[in-house]
Amino acid sequence: HHDAPLFGYILEGTLQVDYGPEGVRTYEAGDALLEAVTVSHNGSVVGDDPVRVLVVNMGADGAPNAVLEE
């Protein structure tokens, strides 16, 4: 999960994000999203083509971009 807002814009490919009990979302080239804050999630590439995402983290200096769960 992220502790600060994160903006993403899908430049190329298809990305599927599993938000656990919150469901699964699929994002394609041209889609924009504000990523979930404090909700665990995992993204994966759909298909054989690579995914390129423009990401803007709105955190603070020294703060991690992501918090990994065990």
Side-chain angles (χ1 to χ4, degrees):
H1 70 267
H2 307 282
D3 284 341
L6 179 151
F7 169 80
Y9 181 78
I10 309 299
L11 297 169
E12 179 180 323
T14 303
L15 177 69
Q16 188 173 67
V17 182
D18 183 347
Y19 295 99
E22 303 298 325
V24 176
R25 300 274 320 259
T26 301
Y27 302 99
E28 298 180 338
D31 289 342
L33 63 133
L34 282 174
E35 192 56 274
V37 175
T38 70
V39 174
S40 296
H41 54 280
N42 188 40
S44 58
V45 175
V46 176
D48 296 326
D49 296 328
V51 173
R52 291 188 326 132
V53 183
L54 169 67
V55 175
V56 178
N57 288 302
M58 295 169 239
D61 285 342
N65 290 330
V67 178
L68 302 177
E69 291 192 8
E70 296 179 20

